[in-house]
Amino acid sequence: MTGPEPVVDVPEGYRVGVWEVREPLASGAFATVYAARRAHGHRARDGAVALPERAALKFLPTGTRTPRQLRYLEELARQEIELLSRLRSPRLIRLYEVLTVDDHRRPELDGVTVLVLEQAASSLEDLLARSPAPPEAQALLTQVCEGLHQLHEAGWVHGDLKAANILLMEDGSARLADFNTAAEMQGTHAYTHAFVTPDYTAPELLWPEVDERGTRIRPTADTWAFGVLAHLVLTGTHPLPGTTPQARSEAAIRYARGTEELRLSPELPDDWRDIIADCLGRTHEERVAHDSRALLRRVEQASGGGAARRPRRRARFARRHPVLTALAAAVLVSTAGLAGAVYAYVSDDDGAPVYRALDPASAFPTGPDGAVVYGYHRCPSDSVCFFSEHNGNGEMCSWKDADSDWLSGESTCAWARDHPVRSAFNNIADARELHDVEFFRGPDFSPTGKDRRRMAQRTGCNAVNSMGNLAGTYAPRSHRLVDSCSSRTVLWTILSVLS
């Protein structure tokens, strides 16, 4: 397996229930997936559920984190289990059983939740990497749309529809997978965790509506994602300009504001051009008329009944390559900001970051009145939040307590692995005894390397209720709560940016 280190490291040959773990297939922010085979001598049936010879085991670390982290991971697992247990739809990946590891000899595995899933041969992402705009594109998109309709009709929103989360079976047919961020509708909205994939994110989710139940999301967010996916599958290109996800996201923002138009590929068939243009309506209101039922009918017509025609089986490829179930935690899309003058409120030997101001006339993004858009309001109450872009914009990681390693655990801050922190907000409750936050370059509240300017050898310390943009390159790896940031080691500028 290439990519990130496994969230749950399981040795080959390890037994879970009747399953013997084989090679790792994929790993993301919240889980690791392994190939598995049914152990020799075990019957093919377990009660009323037929168990296949091979399966994919999705390990979620629900027994190996702090209580706060466990609650979060257990909620992610509960959502996926509930959806797959209730919906036995042919276009959704199948769940065979749910197991819990009971092994006190291995504390790193004890209590871990294991989802035993249908094993696929590949993913749509892998197919597109080998063959952009494959000949079976229209048939695959019809099957994806079928799965989306099955979800929406049952009252669920996928929340992270993308090529990596569409698995291809041995016969070449498509299944929707990875329902960590799926959410059940509650009236006109569903509520989910704020983790999305930039290239597939509807514009309204760049500044999501958040309340005590989570981030509001509607089925039209999946409609937008399907439009992006369809353009990518049919042409090998994205429907919005840009060479990076961030650039394409910024183009989506401009498009949503009416300052940029879609640039759909001339290679699109006319029917598909109309479908994609409707899926990519600028607002939720423009997309709401194109629900999954109407969308599926149009997609079937455009593909000439493609759902009935399975893509050609690629048995030779299937034997060479295992399933790659992409579980990468997506986080909120970066919305960028432009730097202005640096405030000179830092001594030569302390551990405080330097705040920088933004020029409102040139900063991006701005609202309809030209004012700078601030995203600090996304930070949950009684939490500390760090952002990938200025003014609380971009991707966000938040915690209510200390975290000794941002790159593992419940609130894994994946983007901080290779992207600096550009703004911060200490929203910890004043009533707490420990309400200031100091953060460090290394895990376990330690420095990495030696910085002669910082006697405290910490990246910074954020006083309660303070927020602002950071100058320089800050790559924290851990943080802890303290009673006070002393005046010798920190002089914070509290920016009055929220009205």
Side-chain angles (χ1 to χ4, degrees), residues 38-330:
R38 189 157 40 84
H40 179 71
H42 285 273
R43 64 185 186 276
R45 294 185 61 83
D46 183 8
V49 179
L51 298 178
E53 290 290 331
R54 297 183 180 275
L57 304 189
K58 182 175 182 177
F59 287 79
L60 295 101
T62 51
T64 60
R65 298 292 187 268
T66 66
R68 177 180 59 87
Q69 295 169 340
L70 291 181
R71 288 193 297 273
Y72 185 81
L73 288 167
E74 287 168 356
E75 176 63 16
L76 291 180
R78 184 199 64 77
Q79 287 182 170
E80 186 159 11
I81 292 167
E82 182 177 357
L83 186 152
L84 290 174
S85 298
R86 289 167 53 184
L87 303 185
R88 295 290 182 177
S89 301
R91 295 301 178 203
L92 309 183
I93 204 72
R94 185 180 179 187
L95 174 70
Y96 292 110
E97 59 178 340
V98 180
L99 306 171
T100 301
V101 176
D102 183 9
D103 188 350
H104 298 295
R105 297 171 301 175
R106 289 183 175 271
E108 73 278 9
L109 294 177
D110 194 36
V112 164
T113 297
V114 183
L115 277 59
V116 182
L117 301 165
E118 188 177 18
Q119 187 172 17
S122 184
S123 73
L124 181 56
E125 183 177 60
D126 296 327
L127 174 62
L128 296 179
R130 300 191 318 273
S131 177
E136 61 267 45
Q138 295 191 36
L140 288 171
L141 286 171
T142 305
Q143 295 173 16
V144 171
C145 195
E146 284 182 340
L148 198 60
H149 179 56
Q150 291 161 3
L151 273 181
H152 289 187
E153 282 289 287
W156 288 78
V157 180
H158 189 286
D160 196 18
L161 184 70
K162 58 184 177 182
N165 288 342
I166 297 164
L167 302 184
L168 304 181
M169 311 311 291
E170 284 278 347
D171 63 1
S173 62
R175 301 278 196 281
L176 271 61
D178 198 348
F179 302 101
N180 281 336
T181 58
E184 190 171 13
M185 293 291 291
Q186 300 177 31
T188 60
H189 300 81
Y191 294 87
T192 187
H193 304 286
F195 290 98
V196 291
T197 303
D199 272 329
Y200 295 83
T201 302
E204 66 270 14
L205 290 182
L206 303 182
W207 300 281
E209 299 172 80
V210 181
D211 60 27
E212 65 276 9
R213 289 173 289 182
T215 300
R216 292 186 180 186
I217 189 171
R218 304 176 179 94
T220 53
D222 285 345
T223 305
W224 172 281
F226 181 80
V228 174
L229 178 71
H231 195 280
L232 185 61
V233 173
L234 290 169
T235 70
T237 63
H238 292 272
L240 289 157
T243 58
T244 66
Q246 177 175 332
R248 291 189 289 270
S249 298
E250 293 171 2
I253 296 170
R254 296 193 297 271
Y255 165 66
R257 291 176 177 155
T259 60
E260 183 159 331
E261 297 296 325
L262 284 176
R263 302 175 187 177
L264 302 183
S265 171
E267 299 175 11
L268 285 173
D270 289 341
D271 286 350
W272 278 102
R273 177 180 299 276
D274 293 339
I275 290 171
I276 292 171
D278 288 338
C279 287
L280 299 180
R282 285 187 168 93
T283 65
H284 156 73
E285 289 75 17
E286 290 183 20
R287 281 174 260 130
V288 73
H290 310 290
D291 62 27
S292 62
R293 181 181 297 276
L295 184 60
L296 178 58
R297 183 167 57 250
R298 295 173 65 189
V299 166
E300 288 175 338
Q301 291 172 352
S303 61
R309 300 196 308 270
R310 287 180 174 175
R312 179 180 298 176
R313 180 173 178 174
R314 298 174 179 264
R316 183 175 299 176
F317 172 79
R319 287 194 296 268
R320 294 200 311 267
H321 298 271
V323 59
L324 292 176
T325 307
L327 300 172

Side-chain angles (χ1 to χ4, degrees), residues 357-442:
L358 295 185
D359 175 8
S362 62
F364 181 85
T366 59
D369 58 356
V372 176
V373 173
Y374 297 98
Y376 293 114
H377 65 277
R378 296 183 288 133
C379 184
S381 62
D382 197 25
S383 301
V384 57
C385 299
F386 297 90
F387 306 90
S388 65
E389 300 300 335
H390 298 126
N391 292 342
N393 290 311
E395 304 170 67
M396 179 182 77
C397 290
S398 67
W399 295 267
K400 290 188 177 296
D401 298 298
D403 194 324
S404 60
D405 190 346
W406 286 16
L407 303 183
S408 67
E410 169 207 348
S411 295
T412 301
C413 196
W415 58 264
R417 186 183 301 272
D418 53 11
H419 193 292
V421 170
R422 292 197 171 123
S423 53
F425 179 22
N426 181 357
N427 199 24
I428 294 291
D430 298 87
R432 283 216 216 177
E433 182 178 355
L434 304 179
H435 50 57
D436 289 2
V437 181
E438 56 182 10
F439 42 102
F440 301 81
R441 299 177 187 276

